[in-house]
Amino acid sequence: MFNLSVKNYCLWLLPALIAGCQTAATLDTVKLPSAAASAIKTVRIAAIEAPPLEVLPDLLETRMPNVAHEYNMVLPVTSQEAVYRSPGGILVAGKVGHGDSVETVDLSKNGGASAQAGQWTPTLELSSIAQAQLDAAQIQTELSPRTARLPIAAGERNANVGHWRDAVARWYAQNAPASVDRTDAADAVLEIGIGQYRIFEGQTSLQVLIKLIDSHSGQVLAKTGKKTLLTGDTAQALLYPEGERFKVLVRENGARLMAEAMQDIGLAPMRVSQLSEPQAEITVRR
């Protein structure tokens, strides 16, 4: 008889393999003309809401070992797909069981426009990193305190990571700002998003996307994406007890990807060699 826990694992594995076949080739890069680059003296930095973290295999059996026993005994298992807040405030898309220790989050209510209390937002972290790098390049910056919404319907703001992946692609493709400030005095707006964002069998995928937009015309001046695949720690080691190891991983490697992305579009002269080496084994795929 086919073990249901194995069957359940395979059902999770298939979409992960399909998603893994997607490459950065689908993201076009637009470079900033040198004349435009020299004219940019002030930049407003806006974080785009991040999708929930995808974790495979699912952590439900780690949090509730009795669930694995119920699978093996071919008994009904009470669980649901949901976005939940893991320890440390990291939002994860996955299974939540009856009596689970994690708290589910309804993203359809506020659309992620502002982080709830205790919620960690990776794009806000990356925005602070971008601000420090631009300040070092003698470009004046202003940091938007709120995240801008992704173009995704309220009914799709759930644990289906495909919905979020499509929304990120739409945001990256649109020739218009997601963050609008009618009193904007900056020369340009730098929008920062996250594409691939997943822990799969001890491998962490992180993709940083940036778009530089003319704050007056609303036209996209430049855009690009950089990603990395980090191998080593398991999801449980990264996310527990408070997710600090995962946050450090995102900050350190996000800083490197941000520097590469801004160099790529011609916005900032900071070299990647100026950054400290992240404490992780890295395989970069561009």
Side-chain angles (χ1 to χ4, degrees):
M1 182 176 180
F2 190 73
N3 188 292
L4 287 185
S5 62
V6 175
K7 181 180 180 181
N8 183 65
Y9 176 81
C10 292
L11 290 175
W12 275 102
L13 178 63
L14 181 58
L17 292 176
I18 294 172
C21 292
Q22 297 177 341
T23 66
T26 57
L27 297 178
D28 57 315
T29 295
V30 178
K31 295 183 180 293
L32 187 65
S34 56
S38 61
I40 295 177
K41 305 299 182 184
T42 58
V43 172
R44 179 170 65 86
I45 303 170
I48 305 300
E49 67 174 311
L53 177 67
E54 181 182 8
V55 180
L56 297 173
D58 195 276
L59 294 174
L60 177 60
E61 293 184 14
T62 301
R63 297 192 306 272
M64 304 179 69
N66 61 302
V67 171
H69 175 71
E70 291 181 352
Y71 278 135
N72 292 330
M73 295 298 291
V74 200
L75 295 175
V77 178
T78 305
S79 65
Q80 62 174 333
E81 301 288 340
V83 177
Y84 62 86
R85 185 182 293 109
S86 71
I90 300 168
L91 295 187
V92 179
K95 291 185 177 181
V96 177
H98 179 70
D100 209 329
S101 59
V102 295
E103 176 188 0
T104 60
V105 179
D106 185 358
L107 297 180
S108 66
K109 292 182 177 179
N110 62 11
S114 59
Q116 300 178 14
Q119 181 174 310
W120 183 73
T121 306
T123 47
L124 286 176
E125 293 270 0
L126 294 175
S127 294
S128 296
I129 290 169
Q131 182 177 39
Q133 293 182 2
L134 289 174
D135 287 346
Q138 306 302 311
I139 296 177
Q140 296 182 12
T141 59
E142 174 191 352
L143 194 62
S144 297
R146 296 163 63 89
T147 58
R149 290 169 60 100
L150 281 170
I152 179 173
E156 294 183 344
R157 294 178 176 275
N158 51 36
N160 187 328
V161 294
H163 292 159
W164 294 97
R165 195 175 295 121
D166 292 343
V168 170
R170 286 193 295 270
W171 160 74
Y172 189 80
Q174 67 187 14
N175 188 29
S179 172
V180 178
D181 185 346
R182 300 188 184 281
T183 63
D184 221 327
D187 297 322
V189 178
L190 181 67
E191 293 186 346
I192 298 174
I194 283 184
Q196 291 186 14
Y197 185 51
R198 179 177 64 222
I199 302 176
F200 175 57
E201 289 286 12
Q203 300 180 80
T204 301
S205 299
L206 177 65
Q207 183 180 43
V208 174
L209 306 173
I210 65 172
K211 291 172 64 177
L212 188 68
I213 301 167
D214 188 309
S215 58
H216 306 295
S217 68
Q219 298 295 302
V220 174
L221 299 173
K223 61 181 179 178
T224 194
K226 294 292 180 180
K227 67 176 181 177
T228 187
L229 179 67
L230 304 115
T231 61
D233 291 324
T234 64
Q236 187 174 9
L238 289 171
L239 298 177
Y240 291 90
E242 293 294 327
E244 192 54 42
R245 293 180 68 179
F246 179 74
K247 294 175 184 178
V248 169
L249 179 148
V250 171
R251 291 188 197 108
E252 291 185 346
N253 294 283
R256 183 166 298 275
L257 296 176
M258 184 66 64
E260 289 179 356
M262 289 200 286
Q263 264 195 303
D264 207 25
I265 65 172
L267 178 61
M270 175 171 281
R271 296 176 180 173
V272 176
S273 59
Q274 293 178 259
L275 301 173
S276 59
E277 191 70 24
Q279 300 299 309
E281 180 183 349
I282 303 174
T283 302
V284 178
R285 297 179 179 176
R286 293 185 180 86

